[in-house]
Amino acid sequence: MPGESQIPIASAAMLAPKRFATSLALFYGAVFTLVGAQMPFFPVWLRAVGIDASWIGVIAAVPAVTRFTVLPFIAGLAEKRGSLHSALIVTAFMTALGFAAVGTQHQAILVFLAYAVTACVWTPIVPLTDAYALRGVVRYGLNYGPLRLWGSAAFVVGALACGLLVEVIEARQLIWVIAALAAIGAVVSLGLKPLDNPKPHPAALHGATALLRDGGFLVIILSSALIQGSHAAFYTFSSITWQLAGFGGLTIAALWVLGVLAEIVVFALSPRFTWPPSALVVIGALCAMLRWLLTAQEPSAVLLAAVQLLHGFSFGLTQLGTMGLLVRQVPLHTMARGQGYLAACSGIVGGGASILSGVIYARYGQGVYYVMAVMALSGAILMWSARRLLLEPRSADQPHNSASGG
């Protein structure tokens, strides 16, 4: 009899990781389907409603600004209340309402204001989801990369779907596609599984405030911000540039998809990587520098397609390395706050890069990518020079795990 009673318990224990992974994969998918539509085509919608390049640069910088103003507060609040699960549901529903509100505005200042409010609840979703994912990685012994790749795959779906729609609907209607995808994400968030709140180790009770005094942590977030922030000009102006060059909506979407397909491959193979996370970040930075130097040359469509494949390294390897470093450097009970600080630093750097890229692009066009290349190189130099600070795990309340695949 005792043996029989253990069977359902064992089965439930085996099913829990699968249920967590499935619900997380679906939510990552919903979140990044929205990103896949918004990132390439929101600037196209802005231009279609008559907003000029300078204003587009400013509006595009809004999410980055909220990352270092509102986002850390929301991450800290979610951590304090001990419910990442509830925070994700609330922000997902408010995001859907926000994008619907943005769609009702066409004047630059009104779009800016509506988008600013929306960004306050939208930008915390990815950092909170990553914090939720890393807790699950530790809790269930999973790999971060294979979980995260579903977000990348969904980005492809969002970009292709919007690219196809550009051919059959007016660009002025794209905002409603974006709003509808946000609403789908809100519904999917209801399927997320709650996680037990980690209990901090006595030695790590002050980990939240100690993070900003940890030189290794500061290196991680600043180097990541520089490398990922170097994508600002691409995210803001690539679709506009390609549209002006005569590329159709489907071609634009396909170019975005090529980069994300490379990213998916990197995430899928990540469990086999044996390099330390700091090395992944450095390699990602150098690939980003090469990517922007080539893009600045205004390459042909064929070469541009090849350049887009570097996204798997410039973004993918940097993301994997950063998450791998954070899960070793940051106590698990302060992971949401750590993700908030990372997003805040990325917001400061990325927001500045976005605004600057708008000014430079308006005057020098593709020459803006030389500035992006310098940013990426700076991130590589910083990580390489400070790598000895990151050799040992610093978290006092969590074991090693496979967040970076290594």
Side-chain angles (χ1 to χ4, degrees):
M1 292 298 293
E4 293 178 2
S5 65
Q6 292 174 1
I7 292 176
I9 296 175
S11 298
M14 293 174 62
L15 287 174
K18 293 182 180 179
R19 289 172 176 169
F20 170 81
T22 300
S23 63
L24 177 60
L26 287 172
F27 188 63
Y28 262 133
V31 168
F32 283 94
T33 300
L34 170 60
V35 177
Q38 186 273 344
M39 191 174 288
F41 293 106
F42 184 65
V44 174
W45 174 76
L46 291 173
R47 182 170 177 268
V49 296
I51 297 174
D52 62 33
S54 296
W55 263 109
I56 290 174
V58 171
I59 293 171
V62 166
V65 173
T66 62
R67 289 188 184 102
F68 66 85
T69 53
V70 179
L71 192 154
F73 170 77
I74 293 179
L77 183 62
E79 189 173 86
K80 183 178 180 180
R81 299 199 172 230
S83 184
L84 288 175
H85 169 261
S86 298
L88 286 169
I89 293 174
V90 171
T91 53
F93 273 89
M94 293 182 70
T95 295
L97 292 174
F99 273 113
V102 171
T104 65
Q105 308 303 321
H106 291 165
Q107 296 181 16
I109 186 63
L110 296 179
V111 170
F112 170 81
L113 292 174
Y115 191 51
V117 174
T118 303
C120 288
V121 292
W122 180 41
T123 55
I125 291 180
V126 171
L128 289 176
T129 305
D130 281 336
Y132 174 81
L134 291 182
R135 284 188 180 180
V137 161
V138 176
R139 171 70 174 80
Y140 297 116
L142 303 171
N143 286 292
Y144 172 80
L147 292 171
R148 176 60 176 74
L149 71 81
W150 292 105
S152 301
F155 183 99
V156 172
V157 174
L160 283 177
C162 239
L164 288 169
L165 286 172
V166 165
E167 304 293 341
V168 297
I169 67 173
E170 294 182 6
R172 294 170 63 92
Q173 304 303 320
L174 286 174
I175 190 64
W176 300 115
V177 178
I178 294 170
L181 292 174
I184 292 172
V187 173
V188 172
S189 72
L190 297 174
L192 291 172
K193 307 300 178 184
L195 285 174
D196 295 334
N197 293 320
K199 296 180 180 180
H201 188 280
L205 289 175
H206 303 290
T209 56
L211 285 177
L212 294 179
R213 299 193 301 271
D214 183 340
F217 175 74
L218 295 178
V219 166
I220 293 169
I221 64 174
L222 182 54
S223 60
S224 177
L226 285 167
I227 301 162
Q228 302 292 28
S230 75
H231 293 67
F234 173 78
Y235 291 155
T236 305
F237 292 107
S238 61
S239 294
I240 293 174
T241 300
W242 296 338
Q243 190 180 51
L244 293 174
F247 296 168
L250 188 57
T251 301
I252 293 173
L255 287 170
W256 279 83
V257 165
L258 280 175
V260 182
L261 288 176
E263 178 185 316
I264 292 171
V265 171
V266 169
F267 285 142
L269 295 178
S270 64
R272 301 183 182 183
F273 295 167
T274 58
W275 302 305
S278 58
L280 297 182
V281 173
V282 171
I283 294 170
L286 295 178
C287 289
M289 180 184 70
L290 175 62
R291 183 184 181 188
W292 308 138
L293 290 176
L294 291 173
T295 304
Q297 310 308 312
E298 300 185 23
S300 64
V302 174
L303 182 56
L304 185 59
V307 169
Q308 281 298 93
L309 295 178
L310 286 172
H311 186 77
F313 301 100
S314 68
F315 173 82
L317 279 186
T318 303
Q319 176 74 2
L320 285 171
T322 300
M323 293 300 108
L325 289 169
L326 287 178
V327 86
R328 289 161 171 77
Q329 200 88 3
V330 178
L332 189 59
H333 74 284
T334 61
M335 187 59 72
R337 195 178 300 268
Q339 290 285 344
Y341 289 148
L342 169 64
C345 185
S346 298
I348 294 171
V349 175
S354 181
I355 294 173
L356 182 63
S357 68
V359 175
I360 297 175
Y361 180 84
R363 186 169 182 178
Y364 299 105
Q366 295 289 82
V368 69
Y369 287 106
Y370 289 118
V371 178
M372 302 297 107
V374 171
M375 286 181 62
L377 178 60
S378 299
I381 293 172
L382 177 61
M383 177 59 68
W384 181 256
S385 63
R387 67 191 184 283
R388 288 183 177 83
L389 293 174
L390 310 168
L391 291 178
E392 297 295 332
R394 303 294 293 277
S395 300
D397 62 339
Q398 62 195 45
H400 285 290
N401 58 75
S402 49
S404 66

